[in-house]
Structure formats: C-alpha cells, structure tokens
Amino acid sequence: MIATVTQILFIFVFLLLLLGALLVVSDAGARRAFRIALHRRGARLRPPRYAIVGDSLAAQCDWRPLRRRPFDVLRLCLGGATLKDIGAQIVEARMMGARCFVIDGGLNDLLFDAAPLAQIDHDFRALLRRLPEDARGVLMLAPHVADAAQAPRIDEMNRLMRALAEARGLAVVDLAPQLSQDGARRPEMTDDGLHFSPLAAKLWVQAARERLLRDGLA
C-alpha cells in the first residue's frame, strides 16, 4: 500500500524530532551543526534565546543553566577564536534570529597574536557593529591568567572593551575578584594557567545568568 503524503510528512517530522531529541543529550558541536543545517535548509525554527559567542573560555562552559527548552542556547564559541572570528560568529547567530548574546574574547588577540591595543580597539568595534541593532546581552571581560605579568595588558584591554560595550548598550561582567588575586588567576580557578577549572567555568556561567536575570533577559 502506497503511503499518503500526510503519512510521509508525519514520518519525516517524527524522525526529525527524534534526531533532535538525541542531539539534545549529545555534545554541543553536534547540536550546533544540526541547527545550522536545518537553518540552511530553510527550516522555520524558533530563534535561539541566547547566542554564546567567543573563544575557548566560553566553549568549555556548560551553558545549560540558561536553557528553558531544547535549542534555547546557540553555542558558536570556538577555541582559538580571535575578535575577528567572534564577529563572524555573531553574523552567523543573527542569521538565525539571535538577539541576545553572551560574548567573551580578546585573550587570543592579546596573548598569542600580540595585537597592539589599537588593533584590539579596531577589531572589537567591528565586532560590535555586527550585532543586530536591537541586540542585548553581556560582555564577559577577559580574566587574568596565571602569569601576573600579563595583568596590566589584560586590564588595559578590559577597560577599552568595557567602555565600548557599555556605549553599545551591553552589560559587562568582571569576575576578576573571584577568579584572581594580585593580577594572577587563583590556582583553583585554572587547569593550565589560561583555561578554566570546572569551578571557574561554573562561576562564569552563574555570573552571566545572574546579570541576564537582573536585566530581565533570562
């Protein structure tokens, strides 16, 4: 017996929902790829509640506390991302309808690319211009690393990024008091001097969520 069009559509939708459910409990990369693939095929998905854009610090965090329903959180953050890369992540997120962002970045530019402050200023301004006009969200300032000698440069970058973000209407969160002491990351807050320990990652997400709640965005 030949299946009717309605039956075929029902089976397709069922399989799609089943695949989505499996990916909900899978890794973030699979969920991201699945959502992007659906978007590019023209599927009418509910826009993500939050887009997480940034580098490895954001990528290693568990953002599920922000989620109310599956696919509420769109994670585009990637290890090694520079400010230019994060700007591209924002473009991808806004194509999917994202209007609320959690943003981090800058350490790769500063520490690994040895970018001067003028370059960081230029690239961060360009990043902000890629946000939707009605965008809201939180900028997570770059944390200190284990090497206290880097603190003055990180602080200088953070002052610049804070001023630009606040002028754009974004909230700013600085976790330096919790994560570092005398300009150096606390030993319990890092596994390698740069990245987060599980405790630091938890505090990072909690601080972002609390600020979103305060601003009526969660």
Side-chain angles (χ1 to χ4, degrees), residues 143-152 154-155 176-190 193:
H144 293 136
V145 296
D147 181 5
Q150 300 293 342
I154 294 173
D155 291 341
Q178 293 96 313
L179 300 184
S180 60
Q181 183 174 12
D182 298 327
R185 187 87 61 85
R186 298 175 186 270
E188 69 272 20
M189 297 299 178
T190 182

Side-chain angles (χ1 to χ4, degrees), residues 69-82:
R69 293 177 292 183
F71 301 113
D72 263 358
V73 178
L74 175 65
R75 293 180 48 167
L76 298 176
C77 43
L78 290 172
T82 64

